[in-house]
Amino acid sequence: MIGNYMLNAAPVTGEKTVTAVAAEMFAGYTALSGRRVLIVRNDDPAIRIRVGPVGVTQQSGTPVEPGASAEFPTDPAAPVAIYAISEGAAVPVNIWEGK
């Protein structure tokens, strides 16, 4: 169990590099079908990222501090895309999707 979610399938994990151009967050080649939770971890030691909808910018969205994670519960029947953008240079992120 992660957070308040009982998983019913193996999670999908992956890494991406977030830059100054907003990119959709998912672990594999596409978002996990039936996803119930998405976790994005900022693996950079110094640079913050921002997460939000498709129009997220370096000034908008929810900040994710270096070394911190953001968890997004989702409705498996109504997929929602989450995007991230770096406030500075390229930032490595770890992505975890579960259903």
PDB file of all heavy atoms in Angstrom, residues 32-73:
ATOM      1  N   LEU A  32       0.119   5.380 -17.663  1.00  0.00           N
ATOM      2  CA  LEU A  32      -0.406   4.064 -17.305  1.00  0.00           C
ATOM      3  C   LEU A  32      -1.924   4.060 -17.411  1.00  0.00           C
ATOM      4  O   LEU A  32      -2.601   4.888 -16.784  1.00  0.00           O
ATOM      5  CB  LEU A  32       0.032   3.711 -15.878  1.00  0.00           C
ATOM      6  CG  LEU A  32      -0.443   2.380 -15.319  1.00  0.00           C
ATOM      7  CD1 LEU A  32       0.164   1.216 -16.105  1.00  0.00           C
ATOM      8  CD2 LEU A  32      -0.058   2.272 -13.841  1.00  0.00           C
ATOM      9  N   SER A  33      -2.472   3.157 -18.191  1.00  0.00           N
ATOM     10  CA  SER A  33      -3.924   3.034 -18.326  1.00  0.00           C
ATOM     11  C   SER A  33      -4.521   2.599 -16.984  1.00  0.00           C
ATOM     12  O   SER A  33      -4.008   1.692 -16.328  1.00  0.00           O
ATOM     13  CB  SER A  33      -4.243   1.987 -19.399  1.00  0.00           C
ATOM     14  OG  SER A  33      -5.623   1.765 -19.471  1.00  0.00           O
ATOM     15  N   GLY A  34      -5.578   3.267 -16.545  1.00  0.00           N
ATOM     16  CA  GLY A  34      -6.210   2.931 -15.274  1.00  0.00           C
ATOM     17  C   GLY A  34      -5.441   3.424 -14.060  1.00  0.00           C
ATOM     18  O   GLY A  34      -5.669   2.977 -12.944  1.00  0.00           O
ATOM     19  N   ARG A  35      -4.548   4.375 -14.268  1.00  0.00           N
ATOM     20  CA  ARG A  35      -3.714   4.908 -13.179  1.00  0.00           C
ATOM     21  C   ARG A  35      -4.579   5.481 -12.059  1.00  0.00           C
ATOM     22  O   ARG A  35      -5.520   6.203 -12.294  1.00  0.00           O
ATOM     23  CB  ARG A  35      -2.794   5.985 -13.757  1.00  0.00           C
ATOM     24  CG  ARG A  35      -1.957   6.707 -12.735  1.00  0.00           C
ATOM     25  CD  ARG A  35      -0.977   7.652 -13.383  1.00  0.00           C
ATOM     26  NE  ARG A  35      -1.643   8.818 -13.931  1.00  0.00           N
ATOM     27  CZ  ARG A  35      -1.074   9.675 -14.774  1.00  0.00           C
ATOM     28  NH1 ARG A  35       0.159   9.480 -15.178  1.00  0.00           N
ATOM     29  NH2 ARG A  35      -1.740  10.704 -15.225  1.00  0.00           N
ATOM     30  N   ARG A  36      -4.222   5.137 -10.811  1.00  0.00           N
ATOM     31  CA  ARG A  36      -4.913   5.660  -9.633  1.00  0.00           C
ATOM     32  C   ARG A  36      -4.055   6.638  -8.854  1.00  0.00           C
ATOM     33  O   ARG A  36      -4.562   7.409  -8.052  1.00  0.00           O
ATOM     34  CB  ARG A  36      -5.332   4.502  -8.724  1.00  0.00           C
ATOM     35  CG  ARG A  36      -6.402   3.643  -9.367  1.00  0.00           C
ATOM     36  CD  ARG A  36      -6.778   2.438  -8.548  1.00  0.00           C
ATOM     37  NE  ARG A  36      -6.888   2.753  -7.138  1.00  0.00           N
ATOM     38  CZ  ARG A  36      -6.750   1.851  -6.179  1.00  0.00           C
ATOM     39  NH1 ARG A  36      -6.491   0.607  -6.462  1.00  0.00           N
ATOM     40  NH2 ARG A  36      -6.862   2.196  -4.926  1.00  0.00           N
ATOM     41  N   VAL A  37      -2.741   6.580  -9.069  1.00  0.00           N
ATOM     42  CA  VAL A  37      -1.846   7.499  -8.366  1.00  0.00           C
ATOM     43  C   VAL A  37      -0.593   7.739  -9.211  1.00  0.00           C
ATOM     44  O   VAL A  37      -0.103   6.835  -9.881  1.00  0.00           O
ATOM     45  CB  VAL A  37      -1.478   6.972  -6.958  1.00  0.00           C
ATOM     46  CG1 VAL A  37      -0.725   5.667  -7.031  1.00  0.00           C
ATOM     47  CG2 VAL A  37      -0.701   8.008  -6.157  1.00  0.00           C
ATOM     48  N   LEU A  38      -0.144   8.993  -9.199  1.00  0.00           N
ATOM     49  CA  LEU A  38       1.094   9.399  -9.864  1.00  0.00           C
ATOM     50  C   LEU A  38       1.935  10.112  -8.822  1.00  0.00           C
ATOM     51  O   LEU A  38       1.450  11.018  -8.132  1.00  0.00           O
ATOM     52  CB  LEU A  38       0.792  10.353 -11.025  1.00  0.00           C
ATOM     53  CG  LEU A  38       1.994  11.065 -11.657  1.00  0.00           C
ATOM     54  CD1 LEU A  38       2.832  10.074 -12.462  1.00  0.00           C
ATOM     55  CD2 LEU A  38       1.529  12.213 -12.538  1.00  0.00           C
ATOM     56  N   ILE A  39       3.191   9.701  -8.692  1.00  0.00           N
ATOM     57  CA  ILE A  39       4.111  10.361  -7.771  1.00  0.00           C
ATOM     58  C   ILE A  39       5.307  10.859  -8.576  1.00  0.00           C
ATOM     59  O   ILE A  39       5.898  10.107  -9.351  1.00  0.00           O
ATOM     60  CB  ILE A  39       4.577   9.416  -6.643  1.00  0.00           C
ATOM     61  CG1 ILE A  39       3.374   8.933  -5.836  1.00  0.00           C
ATOM     62  CG2 ILE A  39       5.590  10.123  -5.736  1.00  0.00           C
ATOM     63  CD1 ILE A  39       3.690   7.857  -4.833  1.00  0.00           C
ATOM     64  N   VAL A  40       5.621  12.138  -8.400  1.00  0.00           N
ATOM     65  CA  VAL A  40       6.758  12.758  -9.080  1.00  0.00           C
ATOM     66  C   VAL A  40       7.745  13.208  -8.008  1.00  0.00           C
ATOM     67  O   VAL A  40       7.389  13.976  -7.117  1.00  0.00           O
ATOM     68  CB  VAL A  40       6.295  13.975  -9.920  1.00  0.00           C
ATOM     69  CG1 VAL A  40       7.486  14.663 -10.563  1.00  0.00           C
ATOM     70  CG2 VAL A  40       5.279  13.552 -10.968  1.00  0.00           C
ATOM     71  N   ARG A  41       8.976  12.716  -8.080  1.00  0.00           N
ATOM     72  CA  ARG A  41      10.016  13.086  -7.111  1.00  0.00           C
ATOM     73  C   ARG A  41      11.091  13.901  -7.810  1.00  0.00           C
ATOM     74  O   ARG A  41      11.647  13.478  -8.823  1.00  0.00           O
ATOM     75  CB  ARG A  41      10.647  11.849  -6.480  1.00  0.00           C
ATOM     76  CG  ARG A  41      11.775  12.209  -5.521  1.00  0.00           C
ATOM     77  CD  ARG A  41      12.379  10.971  -4.875  1.00  0.00           C
ATOM     78  NE  ARG A  41      13.634  11.287  -4.241  1.00  0.00           N
ATOM     79  CZ  ARG A  41      13.765  11.832  -3.041  1.00  0.00           C
ATOM     80  NH1 ARG A  41      12.703  12.111  -2.337  1.00  0.00           N
ATOM     81  NH2 ARG A  41      14.950  12.086  -2.538  1.00  0.00           N
ATOM     82  N   ASN A  42      11.390  15.059  -7.254  1.00  0.00           N
ATOM     83  CA  ASN A  42      12.450  15.932  -7.763  1.00  0.00           C
ATOM     84  C   ASN A  42      13.781  15.418  -7.214  1.00  0.00           C
ATOM     85  O   ASN A  42      14.063  15.554  -6.032  1.00  0.00           O
ATOM     86  CB  ASN A  42      12.194  17.374  -7.310  1.00  0.00           C
ATOM     87  CG  ASN A  42      13.252  18.339  -7.767  1.00  0.00           C
ATOM     88  OD1 ASN A  42      14.293  17.941  -8.268  1.00  0.00           O
ATOM     89  ND2 ASN A  42      13.002  19.615  -7.572  1.00  0.00           N
ATOM     90  N   ASP A  43      14.600  14.832  -8.077  1.00  0.00           N
ATOM     91  CA  ASP A  43      15.874  14.248  -7.639  1.00  0.00           C
ATOM     92  C   ASP A  43      17.054  15.218  -7.708  1.00  0.00           C
ATOM     93  O   ASP A  43      18.193  14.817  -7.466  1.00  0.00           O
ATOM     94  CB  ASP A  43      16.197  12.993  -8.462  1.00  0.00           C
ATOM     95  CG  ASP A  43      15.362  11.799  -8.033  1.00  0.00           C
ATOM     96  OD1 ASP A  43      14.842  11.792  -6.899  1.00  0.00           O
ATOM     97  OD2 ASP A  43      15.234  10.848  -8.834  1.00  0.00           O
ATOM     98  N   ASP A  44      16.795  16.477  -8.032  1.00  0.00           N
ATOM     99  CA  ASP A  44      17.883  17.456  -8.078  1.00  0.00           C
ATOM    100  C   ASP A  44      18.188  17.958  -6.661  1.00  0.00           C
ATOM    101  O   ASP A  44      17.278  18.130  -5.863  1.00  0.00           O
ATOM    102  CB  ASP A  44      17.497  18.644  -8.966  1.00  0.00           C
ATOM    103  CG  ASP A  44      18.698  19.492  -9.310  1.00  0.00           C
ATOM    104  OD1 ASP A  44      19.354  19.185 -10.315  1.00  0.00           O
ATOM    105  OD2 ASP A  44      18.987  20.449  -8.563  1.00  0.00           O
ATOM    106  N   PRO A  45      19.463  18.200  -6.338  1.00  0.00           N
ATOM    107  CA  PRO A  45      19.801  18.676  -4.995  1.00  0.00           C
ATOM    108  C   PRO A  45      19.558  20.177  -4.784  1.00  0.00           C
ATOM    109  O   PRO A  45      19.597  20.647  -3.647  1.00  0.00           O
ATOM    110  CB  PRO A  45      21.286  18.350  -4.868  1.00  0.00           C
ATOM    111  CG  PRO A  45      21.795  18.372  -6.274  1.00  0.00           C
ATOM    112  CD  PRO A  45      20.658  17.893  -7.129  1.00  0.00           C
ATOM    113  N   ALA A  46      19.293  20.943  -5.862  1.00  0.00           N
ATOM    114  CA  ALA A  46      19.218  22.392  -5.681  1.00  0.00           C
ATOM    115  C   ALA A  46      18.114  23.116  -6.451  1.00  0.00           C
ATOM    116  O   ALA A  46      17.754  24.221  -6.076  1.00  0.00           O
ATOM    117  CB  ALA A  46      20.559  23.015  -6.061  1.00  0.00           C
ATOM    118  N   ILE A  47      17.580  22.519  -7.513  1.00  0.00           N
ATOM    119  CA  ILE A  47      16.637  23.239  -8.377  1.00  0.00           C
ATOM    120  C   ILE A  47      15.206  22.743  -8.168  1.00  0.00           C
ATOM    121  O   ILE A  47      14.955  21.538  -8.166  1.00  0.00           O
ATOM    122  CB  ILE A  47      17.034  23.095  -9.861  1.00  0.00           C
ATOM    123  CG1 ILE A  47      18.447  23.646 -10.082  1.00  0.00           C
ATOM    124  CG2 ILE A  47      16.034  23.821 -10.763  1.00  0.00           C
ATOM    125  CD1 ILE A  47      19.007  23.366 -11.447  1.00  0.00           C
ATOM    126  N   ARG A  48      14.302  23.678  -8.025  1.00  0.00           N
ATOM    127  CA  ARG A  48      12.886  23.368  -7.830  1.00  0.00           C
ATOM    128  C   ARG A  48      12.210  23.150  -9.190  1.00  0.00           C
ATOM    129  O   ARG A  48      12.598  23.748 -10.185  1.00  0.00           O
ATOM    130  CB  ARG A  48      12.228  24.539  -7.094  1.00  0.00           C
ATOM    131  CG  ARG A  48      10.797  24.324  -6.730  1.00  0.00           C
ATOM    132  CD  ARG A  48      10.312  25.298  -5.697  1.00  0.00           C
ATOM    133  NE  ARG A  48      10.452  26.678  -6.145  1.00  0.00           N
ATOM    134  CZ  ARG A  48      10.111  27.718  -5.394  1.00  0.00           C
ATOM    135  NH1 ARG A  48       9.625  27.552  -4.185  1.00  0.00           N
ATOM    136  NH2 ARG A  48      10.260  28.940  -5.849  1.00  0.00           N
ATOM    137  N   ILE A  49      11.177  22.288  -9.214  1.00  0.00           N
ATOM    138  CA  ILE A  49      10.329  22.137 -10.386  1.00  0.00           C
ATOM    139  C   ILE A  49       8.922  22.598 -10.017  1.00  0.00           C
ATOM    140  O   ILE A  49       8.609  22.786  -8.838  1.00  0.00           O
ATOM    141  CB  ILE A  49      10.297  20.684 -10.929  1.00  0.00           C
ATOM    142  CG1 ILE A  49       9.680  19.720  -9.904  1.00  0.00           C
ATOM    143  CG2 ILE A  49      11.683  20.243 -11.363  1.00  0.00           C
ATOM    144  CD1 ILE A  49       9.423  18.331 -10.464  1.00  0.00           C
ATOM    145  N   ARG A  50       8.106  22.804 -11.017  1.00  0.00           N
ATOM    146  CA  ARG A  50       6.694  23.148 -10.821  1.00  0.00           C
ATOM    147  C   ARG A  50       5.858  22.117 -11.558  1.00  0.00           C
ATOM    148  O   ARG A  50       6.219  21.685 -12.647  1.00  0.00           O
ATOM    149  CB  ARG A  50       6.392  24.530 -11.378  1.00  0.00           C
ATOM    150  CG  ARG A  50       7.203  25.623 -10.724  1.00  0.00           C
ATOM    151  CD  ARG A  50       6.332  26.468  -9.919  1.00  0.00           C
ATOM    152  NE  ARG A  50       7.073  27.528  -9.235  1.00  0.00           N
ATOM    153  CZ  ARG A  50       6.469  28.381  -8.465  1.00  0.00           C
ATOM    154  NH1 ARG A  50       5.176  28.320  -8.280  1.00  0.00           N
ATOM    155  NH2 ARG A  50       7.162  29.307  -7.843  1.00  0.00           N
ATOM    156  N   VAL A  51       4.739  21.722 -10.963  1.00  0.00           N
ATOM    157  CA  VAL A  51       3.839  20.756 -11.586  1.00  0.00           C
ATOM    158  C   VAL A  51       2.448  21.358 -11.693  1.00  0.00           C
ATOM    159  O   VAL A  51       2.051  22.198 -10.873  1.00  0.00           O
ATOM    160  CB  VAL A  51       3.802  19.428 -10.804  1.00  0.00           C
ATOM    161  CG1 VAL A  51       5.130  18.703 -10.889  1.00  0.00           C
ATOM    162  CG2 VAL A  51       3.432  19.651  -9.350  1.00  0.00           C
ATOM    163  N   GLY A  52       1.717  20.931 -12.714  1.00  0.00           N
ATOM    164  CA  GLY A  52       0.376  21.444 -12.918  1.00  0.00           C
ATOM    165  C   GLY A  52      -0.195  20.985 -14.245  1.00  0.00           C
ATOM    166  O   GLY A  52       0.264  20.000 -14.824  1.00  0.00           O
ATOM    167  N   PRO A  53      -1.171  21.735 -14.772  1.00  0.00           N
ATOM    168  CA  PRO A  53      -1.800  21.365 -16.042  1.00  0.00           C
ATOM    169  C   PRO A  53      -0.897  21.686 -17.222  1.00  0.00           C
ATOM    170  O   PRO A  53       0.205  22.214 -17.052  1.00  0.00           O
ATOM    171  CB  PRO A  53      -3.070  22.223 -16.062  1.00  0.00           C
ATOM    172  CG  PRO A  53      -2.694  23.432 -15.278  1.00  0.00           C
ATOM    173  CD  PRO A  53      -1.770  22.934 -14.196  1.00  0.00           C
ATOM    174  N   VAL A  54      -1.395  21.443 -18.421  1.00  0.00           N
ATOM    175  CA  VAL A  54      -0.612  21.620 -19.638  1.00  0.00           C
ATOM    176  C   VAL A  54       0.043  22.999 -19.739  1.00  0.00           C
ATOM    177  O   VAL A  54       1.145  23.119 -20.237  1.00  0.00           O
ATOM    178  CB  VAL A  54      -1.458  21.306 -20.899  1.00  0.00           C
ATOM    179  CG1 VAL A  54      -2.568  22.323 -21.078  1.00  0.00           C
ATOM    180  CG2 VAL A  54      -0.590  21.227 -22.133  1.00  0.00           C
ATOM    181  N   GLY A  55      -0.554  24.040 -19.231  1.00  0.00           N
ATOM    182  CA  GLY A  55       0.007  25.382 -19.328  1.00  0.00           C
ATOM    183  C   GLY A  55       0.927  25.788 -18.203  1.00  0.00           C
ATOM    184  O   GLY A  55       1.253  26.961 -18.078  1.00  0.00           O
ATOM    185  N   VAL A  56       1.400  24.845 -17.392  1.00  0.00           N
ATOM    186  CA  VAL A  56       2.250  25.183 -16.251  1.00  0.00           C
ATOM    187  C   VAL A  56       3.489  25.947 -16.729  1.00  0.00           C
ATOM    188  O   VAL A  56       4.037  25.656 -17.792  1.00  0.00           O
ATOM    189  CB  VAL A  56       2.638  23.930 -15.436  1.00  0.00           C
ATOM    190  CG1 VAL A  56       3.572  23.010 -16.191  1.00  0.00           C
ATOM    191  CG2 VAL A  56       3.229  24.301 -14.090  1.00  0.00           C
ATOM    192  N   THR A  57       3.895  26.947 -15.946  1.00  0.00           N
ATOM    193  CA  THR A  57       5.080  27.743 -16.278  1.00  0.00           C
ATOM    194  C   THR A  57       6.051  27.728 -15.105  1.00  0.00           C
ATOM    195  O   THR A  57       5.741  27.192 -14.040  1.00  0.00           O
ATOM    196  CB  THR A  57       4.703  29.209 -16.586  1.00  0.00           C
ATOM    197  OG1 THR A  57       4.279  29.841 -15.375  1.00  0.00           O
ATOM    198  CG2 THR A  57       3.618  29.302 -17.647  1.00  0.00           C
ATOM    199  N   GLN A  58       7.174  28.395 -15.281  1.00  0.00           N
ATOM    200  CA  GLN A  58       8.168  28.501 -14.214  1.00  0.00           C
ATOM    201  C   GLN A  58       7.681  29.382 -13.068  1.00  0.00           C
ATOM    202  O   GLN A  58       8.283  29.393 -12.006  1.00  0.00           O
ATOM    203  CB  GLN A  58       9.488  29.042 -14.772  1.00  0.00           C
ATOM    204  CG  GLN A  58      10.156  28.060 -15.706  1.00  0.00           C
ATOM    205  CD  GLN A  58      11.379  28.640 -16.374  1.00  0.00           C
ATOM    206  OE1 GLN A  58      11.399  29.795 -16.777  1.00  0.00           O
ATOM    207  NE2 GLN A  58      12.414  27.821 -16.506  1.00  0.00           N
ATOM    208  N   GLN A  59       6.588  30.092 -13.259  1.00  0.00           N
ATOM    209  CA  GLN A  59       6.022  30.938 -12.207  1.00  0.00           C
ATOM    210  C   GLN A  59       4.694  30.408 -11.675  1.00  0.00           C
ATOM    211  O   GLN A  59       4.210  30.858 -10.643  1.00  0.00           O
ATOM    212  CB  GLN A  59       5.800  32.367 -12.726  1.00  0.00           C
ATOM    213  CG  GLN A  59       7.066  33.119 -13.061  1.00  0.00           C
ATOM    214  CD  GLN A  59       7.673  32.720 -14.400  1.00  0.00           C
ATOM    215  OE1 GLN A  59       6.963  32.444 -15.352  1.00  0.00           O
ATOM    216  NE2 GLN A  59       8.989  32.684 -14.469  1.00  0.00           N
ATOM    217  N   SER A  60       4.076  29.464 -12.380  1.00  0.00           N
ATOM    218  CA  SER A  60       2.777  28.938 -11.937  1.00  0.00           C
ATOM    219  C   SER A  60       2.917  27.475 -11.533  1.00  0.00           C
ATOM    220  O   SER A  60       3.993  26.904 -11.606  1.00  0.00           O
ATOM    221  CB  SER A  60       1.740  29.079 -13.060  1.00  0.00           C
ATOM    222  OG  SER A  60       2.025  28.180 -14.109  1.00  0.00           O
ATOM    223  N   GLY A  61       1.839  26.880 -11.137  1.00  0.00           N
ATOM    224  CA  GLY A  61       1.887  25.476 -10.737  1.00  0.00           C
ATOM    225  C   GLY A  61       2.338  25.312  -9.300  1.00  0.00           C
ATOM    226  O   GLY A  61       2.669  26.274  -8.609  1.00  0.00           O
ATOM    227  N   THR A  62       2.352  24.096  -8.865  1.00  0.00           N
ATOM    228  CA  THR A  62       2.743  23.761  -7.495  1.00  0.00           C
ATOM    229  C   THR A  62       4.235  23.477  -7.447  1.00  0.00           C
ATOM    230  O   THR A  62       4.727  22.633  -8.195  1.00  0.00           O
ATOM    231  CB  THR A  62       1.967  22.521  -7.015  1.00  0.00           C
ATOM    232  OG1 THR A  62       0.567  22.812  -7.093  1.00  0.00           O
ATOM    233  CG2 THR A  62       2.344  22.137  -5.604  1.00  0.00           C
ATOM    234  N   PRO A  63       4.986  24.165  -6.581  1.00  0.00           N
ATOM    235  CA  PRO A  63       6.423  23.895  -6.498  1.00  0.00           C
ATOM    236  C   PRO A  63       6.709  22.545  -5.836  1.00  0.00           C
ATOM    237  O   PRO A  63       6.016  22.153  -4.903  1.00  0.00           O
ATOM    238  CB  PRO A  63       6.966  25.035  -5.640  1.00  0.00           C
ATOM    239  CG  PRO A  63       5.801  25.710  -5.035  1.00  0.00           C
ATOM    240  CD  PRO A  63       4.564  25.260  -5.723  1.00  0.00           C
ATOM    241  N   VAL A  64       7.712  21.859  -6.353  1.00  0.00           N
ATOM    242  CA  VAL A  64       8.223  20.630  -5.744  1.00  0.00           C
ATOM    243  C   VAL A  64       9.697  20.905  -5.463  1.00  0.00           C
ATOM    244  O   VAL A  64      10.506  21.046  -6.382  1.00  0.00           O
ATOM    245  CB  VAL A  64       8.046  19.402  -6.657  1.00  0.00           C
ATOM    246  CG1 VAL A  64       8.587  18.147  -5.972  1.00  0.00           C
ATOM    247  CG2 VAL A  64       6.586  19.212  -7.045  1.00  0.00           C
ATOM    248  N   GLU A  65      10.024  21.010  -4.200  1.00  0.00           N
ATOM    249  CA  GLU A  65      11.371  21.361  -3.765  1.00  0.00           C
ATOM    250  C   GLU A  65      12.371  20.245  -4.087  1.00  0.00           C
ATOM    251  O   GLU A  65      11.991  19.086  -4.259  1.00  0.00           O
ATOM    252  CB  GLU A  65      11.383  21.635  -2.259  1.00  0.00           C
ATOM    253  CG  GLU A  65      10.497  22.780  -1.829  1.00  0.00           C
ATOM    254  CD  GLU A  65      10.938  24.132  -2.367  1.00  0.00           C
ATOM    255  OE1 GLU A  65      12.142  24.323  -2.638  1.00  0.00           O
ATOM    256  OE2 GLU A  65      10.069  25.006  -2.518  1.00  0.00           O
ATOM    257  N   PRO A  66      13.659  20.564  -4.150  1.00  0.00           N
ATOM    258  CA  PRO A  66      14.687  19.543  -4.361  1.00  0.00           C
ATOM    259  C   PRO A  66      14.561  18.423  -3.329  1.00  0.00           C
ATOM    260  O   PRO A  66      14.416  18.679  -2.133  1.00  0.00           O
ATOM    261  CB  PRO A  66      15.990  20.306  -4.191  1.00  0.00           C
ATOM    262  CG  PRO A  66      15.640  21.722  -4.546  1.00  0.00           C
ATOM    263  CD  PRO A  66      14.241  21.902  -4.048  1.00  0.00           C
ATOM    264  N   GLY A  67      14.558  17.187  -3.801  1.00  0.00           N
ATOM    265  CA  GLY A  67      14.460  16.024  -2.923  1.00  0.00           C
ATOM    266  C   GLY A  67      13.050  15.694  -2.462  1.00  0.00           C
ATOM    267  O   GLY A  67      12.843  14.686  -1.803  1.00  0.00           O
ATOM    268  N   ALA A  68      12.074  16.500  -2.820  1.00  0.00           N
ATOM    269  CA  ALA A  68      10.684  16.279  -2.378  1.00  0.00           C
ATOM    270  C   ALA A  68       9.873  15.580  -3.467  1.00  0.00           C
ATOM    271  O   ALA A  68      10.275  15.514  -4.630  1.00  0.00           O
ATOM    272  CB  ALA A  68      10.030  17.606  -2.012  1.00  0.00           C
ATOM    273  N   SER A  69       8.715  15.073  -3.059  1.00  0.00           N
ATOM    274  CA  SER A  69       7.795  14.401  -3.970  1.00  0.00           C
ATOM    275  C   SER A  69       6.436  15.071  -3.938  1.00  0.00           C
ATOM    276  O   SER A  69       6.056  15.677  -2.940  1.00  0.00           O
ATOM    277  CB  SER A  69       7.610  12.935  -3.557  1.00  0.00           C
ATOM    278  OG  SER A  69       8.816  12.230  -3.639  1.00  0.00           O
ATOM    279  N   ALA A  70       5.700  14.920  -5.033  1.00  0.00           N
ATOM    280  CA  ALA A  70       4.309  15.353  -5.117  1.00  0.00           C
ATOM    281  C   ALA A  70       3.488  14.142  -5.532  1.00  0.00           C
ATOM    282  O   ALA A  70       3.868  13.418  -6.455  1.00  0.00           O
ATOM    283  CB  ALA A  70       4.143  16.483  -6.111  1.00  0.00           C
ATOM    284  N   GLU A  71       2.374  13.904  -4.834  1.00  0.00           N
ATOM    285  CA  GLU A  71       1.515  12.756  -5.115  1.00  0.00           C
ATOM    286  C   GLU A  71       0.193  13.248  -5.674  1.00  0.00           C
ATOM    287  O   GLU A  71      -0.419  14.165  -5.137  1.00  0.00           O
ATOM    288  CB  GLU A  71       1.284  11.976  -3.817  1.00  0.00           C
ATOM    289  CG  GLU A  71       0.440  10.751  -3.990  1.00  0.00           C
ATOM    290  CD  GLU A  71       0.327   9.934  -2.712  1.00  0.00           C
ATOM    291  OE1 GLU A  71       1.319   9.822  -1.975  1.00  0.00           O
ATOM    292  OE2 GLU A  71      -0.778   9.426  -2.457  1.00  0.00           O
ATOM    293  N   PHE A  72      -0.245  12.619  -6.770  1.00  0.00           N
ATOM    294  CA  PHE A  72      -1.484  13.001  -7.435  1.00  0.00           C
ATOM    295  C   PHE A  72      -2.416  11.797  -7.522  1.00  0.00           C
ATOM    296  O   PHE A  72      -2.205  10.911  -8.347  1.00  0.00           O
ATOM    297  CB  PHE A  72      -1.200  13.519  -8.847  1.00  0.00           C
ATOM    298  CG  PHE A  72      -0.261  14.688  -8.857  1.00  0.00           C
ATOM    299  CD1 PHE A  72       1.099  14.498  -9.015  1.00  0.00           C
ATOM    300  CD2 PHE A  72      -0.735  15.974  -8.675  1.00  0.00           C
ATOM    301  CE1 PHE A  72       1.973  15.570  -9.017  1.00  0.00           C
ATOM    302  CE2 PHE A  72       0.133  17.059  -8.670  1.00  0.00           C
ATOM    303  CZ  PHE A  72       1.494  16.853  -8.835  1.00  0.00           C
ATOM    304  N   PRO A  73      -3.443  11.755  -6.667  1.00  0.00           N
ATOM    305  CA  PRO A  73      -4.447  10.704  -6.823  1.00  0.00           C
ATOM    306  C   PRO A  73      -5.268  11.001  -8.081  1.00  0.00           C
ATOM    307  O   PRO A  73      -5.566  12.158  -8.363  1.00  0.00           O
ATOM    308  CB  PRO A  73      -5.309  10.825  -5.573  1.00  0.00           C
ATOM    309  CG  PRO A  73      -4.852  12.027  -4.843  1.00  0.00           C
ATOM    310  CD  PRO A  73      -3.698  12.626  -5.551  1.00  0.00           C
TER     311      PRO A  73
END
